[in-house]
Each structure stands twice: as structure tokens, then as C-alpha cells.
Amino acid sequence: MTDGSEFFKGQNLRVGFYDLLFGRASNLIGEMDFYRDFTAGTGSVLEAACGSGRLFPALGAPGRLLVGFDASQELLSQAHAHYHGNAGLGRPLLCAQRMESFAFGCRFERIVVGYYGLSYILDSEGRHSFLQRIAEHLMPDGQVVLHLPDADLLRRPVPQSEIDAQRGSLVLRSEVPGFTGRLAYQTIDSRVEQDGQIHVTELTFALLDESGKILRQESAAMRYAILDRQDIETLATAARLKLTGCRNGFTEDNASELIVTLAHA
């Protein structure tokens, strides 16, 4: 089966500008406040699939143990450049590991699997292994949060007019030293595969200089496992965890997400 984490690997536009392309979406409004509240007063936090460390300002605190891991060396390099040694965030510790097989020698009060992290594990066996490891690394009175896309939105047929409208460009002024230009992006296709189990979004990216000349152009497919609340409850039960909360967005105005909290059963 195709590895969902492949989207985040390599020296390319989607990884190099990941936070700029994907980290400012309207469905993430209220995200940082949610995680600050979730981790408030705790002494240890683990973030699985931490990527560039985008959530670290909400997860970290002076004196708190903050550990993050990811399968993407490129995104971990960004996290290291931005947050390594930051005492205000508890001096985050970073390492390269996969969600299906991660291992640490301690347990944590809070475990965060943010921004669709679980959805990139495309096979059932891998998801079961991940939840089991979550349970093994969670303190007896600890809590876990999982953020996933709404399954019904992933399953629905997307009209071609809507796909065509999913395009735009971002002005680059300070992101690349000595360079001014634009980063263009466009959705080419949105579909469901493998009997409704996997959602695929085909994307293109292009880097343009000030004159509009294309300097680099790439394409890639982002794949999500389609998981609903019942799927999460089944996974949790198998790992001797239980669902303790569920919401469909970080704010009341948003209903496009599945955000669940888990604890030991």
C-alpha cells in the first residue's frame, strides 16, 4: 500500500513551504488555543507526527518535557531550526520515528496527534499498532487528542467546478533569502479509492519569479485514510483506550473536522 507519509519527504516545494501552503487554513482557526488548554498545567507532552513543529508554541512551556517525532527528516530539520533549545517551550526534543513503531523510555501526561496525522497511516494494521503504542506511552491519568478530517466530507463526490476553484498563489518576500516571487498551487483531482477507504487529492505546485517565469514545477498526491468516530472507537477499544470527548471543529463555526480525546479505559 502507498505510504501516506511520502507526501512529506524530499527536497521539494510542498515540504519546503508546507506551513505556508497548509498551515493557515480556515479549519485551523482556534487550534492553538485548543492545544494550550489541552496541555495546561501538565509536565510532559508528546506530539506524534510533529512535522515542522508548528504546534510547539501551544504545546511547550518552561520546564515542560516536550518531545516530537516525525517520519520526515526534512520537516524535522525545519522544527530543529525554529525551536531547538527554546527554553520558553521546554527545549523541545526531536527525533525521526514512524507512528506505527515509535518507542520512548517514558510515559506522557498528554499525547497530541494533530492535523490529520493518524489519517496518513493508510493500513489498518499500522493504525492498530500506533494506537497500541499510544496506550503504552500514556500515563495512567493521561489524555490523548486526535485531529482528523470529517469522513463524510472526504467521501462526498467533489464537483469539477469546485476542484477547478481550488487554486491560488502566495507572494514570497522573506521566506527565501534574496528571492521575491510567487508560489502557485492547484488541485487537479479529488477522488476516493480502495472501496471508499482512501481519499486522494492530486496537487501541482510551481515556483515563479517576479516576471511570472516558472522556475520549478511539481506534482504530488496527498492520501488520507477515511476514518469516522466509530472507526476511532474501535481502534481505541482494541488498545484498551476509551473515547472521552468528540467535537467537529476547533470553533463552533467549523464542522469540517473530527477531534476526539482518549484516555485509558
Side-chain angles (χ1 to χ4, degrees):
M1 178 175 289
T2 302
D3 184 357
S5 69
E6 285 298 318
F7 185 84
F8 305 97
K9 295 180 180 179
Q11 301 290 336
N12 51 61
L13 297 175
R14 66 183 184 275
V15 174
F17 295 102
Y18 179 78
D19 287 349
L20 188 63
L21 285 164
F22 302 103
R24 302 180 181 184
S26 60
N27 60 315
L28 300 181
I29 294 172
E31 176 193 43
M32 301 300 271
D33 288 339
F34 172 86
Y35 286 120
R36 286 190 186 95
D37 291 342
F38 180 70
T39 58
T42 63
S44 58
V45 175
L46 172 66
E47 185 184 4
C50 67
S52 65
R54 186 179 59 85
L55 295 180
F56 283 1
L59 303 180
R64 176 181 292 166
L65 173 63
L66 174 58
V67 178
F69 72 89
D70 202 282
S72 170
Q73 291 282 4
E74 293 78 14
L75 287 176
L76 283 174
S77 294
Q78 295 178 31
H80 188 275
H82 293 153
Y83 301 111
H84 178 69
N86 188 321
L89 300 180
R91 302 185 188 279
L93 302 175
L94 299 162
C95 67
Q97 296 203 52
R98 291 188 62 87
M99 289 189 286
E100 305 95 325
S101 58
F102 78 90
F104 296 97
C106 62
R107 295 190 173 195
F108 299 84
E109 293 178 66
R110 296 289 186 271
I111 298 178
V112 172
V113 190
Y115 207 3
Y116 304 170
L118 177 60
S119 302
Y120 294 110
I121 304 179
L122 302 182
D123 64 292
S124 176
E125 182 179 348
R127 292 191 291 270
H128 278 281
S129 177
F130 177 56
L131 264 292
Q132 183 59 52
R133 291 178 183 277
I134 288 286
E136 294 169 356
H137 286 79
L138 186 65
M139 285 188 175
D141 59 347
Q143 296 182 60
V144 182
V145 65
L146 308 175
H147 175 201
L148 302 95
D150 179 81
D152 289 338
L153 289 180
L154 293 183
R155 292 189 184 107
R156 74 180 181 92
V158 182
Q160 187 62 47
S161 59
E162 186 175 324
I163 294 174
D164 294 340
Q166 294 175 7
R167 65 176 67 195
S169 65
L170 304 165
V171 176
L172 304 177
R173 290 194 178 93
S174 59
E175 289 79 7
V176 181
F179 176 80
T180 301
R182 290 187 297 118
L183 177 64
Y185 56 90
Q186 180 179 353
T187 298
I188 301 301
D189 190 20
S190 181
R191 63 185 184 274
V192 174
E193 297 181 344
Q194 298 186 25
D195 297 324
Q197 298 182 60
I198 304 294
H199 181 272
V200 181
T201 302
E202 298 275 357
L203 301 152
T204 63
F205 308 92
L207 185 67
L208 300 87
D209 64 16
E210 289 183 283
S211 71
K213 179 183 177 181
I214 296 176
L215 304 177
R216 182 169 180 173
Q217 192 166 18
E218 303 166 355
S219 61
M222 179 181 280
R223 289 176 167 84
Y224 298 134
I226 300 176
L227 303 168
D228 57 24
R229 175 173 172 161
Q230 183 58 56
D231 294 323
I232 300 303
E233 288 186 306
T234 300
L235 287 167
T237 299
R240 297 185 179 180
L241 297 168
K242 63 181 179 181
L243 192 148
T244 59
C246 184
R247 55 195 291 169
N248 56 12
F250 291 110
T251 64
E252 294 182 357
D253 298 331
N254 186 4
S256 64
E257 313 302 295
L258 174 62
I259 303 165
V260 300
T261 51
L262 307 174
H264 285 290

